[in-house]
Amino acid sequence: AKAIYQYQNEERTFEGFMLTNASAKDVQQPTEENLNKFYEARKIDYAIPETRDITIATLTKEMIANDIEISDEEILVTYDENMDLYKKPEQRLLQQAILKDQKTAQDVLTALEDSKTLEDAVLKVTNNTTAYLGENSFSEKSMTEDIAKPSFKATKGGKVGPIETPLGWHVLVVKEITPPETTPFDKVKADIKDQILQERLIDDLINTSNNLDDQLASGQTLESVVQEMGL
């Protein structure tokens, strides 16, 4: 700490002087010989950079997108094959509090009988709301098994707990239940079609690029390949 303090607070006093162009007296004009030597030593500074004329052939995804046809049947097959992606599990909106011991958790559960919310019950028992964690939506798989099972067996408005975990004693209230659902085909049809299109475009671009290399390697000119392939 002492070394850092000394480094940050170090001060120095120095004396110096400045030289300007006006300070230089009797400067002689360079001779032709001086100029030639200067030029020869720095020729690279005066070199004109090399330039090249380049012909570029361009192929973009937009140029081949119109040639790709994707049927409704193909989209439906992709939808069916990836059905798990469109299934939403049951969700539960839960109020939750975590208390320090079983007795306090049980007192909160009892206080719920005369309280409008779990937060009110926590406040009534502990004199503060620190233990109240608010409302959050959960699927069964997103919760630990010891809390998930009773929480997903309870009905709307049901009270769960006290349940002990390494975090403490949990008390929960089921506020809302959203049943499982599958996103309808019509809602994701456009997204699936775009996904298939992007995959096709990538494949077509790679195949076209390989074909282009082969034709150039066989001796065809770039101009003829461009006309032939519609680049």
Side-chain angles (χ1 to χ4, degrees), residues 92 150-160 173-175 177:
R92 296 207 165 197
S151 296
F152 275 76
K153 284 182 180 179
T155 57
K156 182 178 178 180
K159 303 170 183 62
V160 180
V173 178
V174 181
K175 296 296 293 180
I177 298 175

Side-chain angles (χ1 to χ4, degrees), residues 25-73:
K25 305 296 183 180
D26 301 326
V27 179
Q28 296 181 357
Q29 291 296 317
T31 64
E32 193 70 22
E33 182 181 359
N34 296 145
L35 292 174
N36 283 328
K37 287 182 178 180
F38 185 93
Y39 173 75
E40 291 296 334
R42 294 170 175 79
K43 255 186 177 179
I44 191 169
D45 295 336
Y46 305 103
I48 299 173
E50 176 183 310
T51 60
R52 296 196 177 196
D53 294 329
I54 299 175
T55 302
I56 300 177
T58 304
L59 176 67
T60 65
K61 291 190 292 185
E62 290 73 22
M63 293 169 64
I64 57 177
N66 294 333
D67 297 330
I68 297 178
E69 295 183 1
I70 302 172
S71 66
D72 289 348
E73 289 76 16

Side-chain angles (χ1 to χ4, degrees), residues 161-228:
I163 301 171
E164 185 182 18
T165 74
L167 298 177
W169 290 84
H170 299 247
V171 175
L172 304 100
V173 178
V174 181
K175 296 296 293 180
E176 296 289 343
I177 298 175
T178 304
E181 63 175 350
T182 300
T183 305
F185 173 69
D186 289 340
K187 281 191 174 183
V188 295
K189 179 180 176 181
D191 292 337
I192 296 174
K193 182 176 182 179
D194 185 65
Q195 177 186 339
I196 296 173
L197 175 63
Q198 296 305 319
E199 292 173 354
R200 291 270 190 87
L201 287 173
I202 291 173
D203 290 340
D204 283 2
L205 284 172
I206 293 173
N207 291 335
T208 302
S209 177
N210 291 335
N211 188 17
L212 173 64
D213 288 341
D214 291 342
Q215 294 197 49
L216 291 175
S218 69
Q220 293 193 49
T221 64
L222 182 61
E223 288 76 7
S224 65
V225 174
V226 165
Q227 286 187 340
E228 181 180 334

Side-chain angles (χ1 to χ4, degrees), residues 24 49 63 81 104 137:
M63 293 169 64
E81 290 177 347
T104 306
S137 291

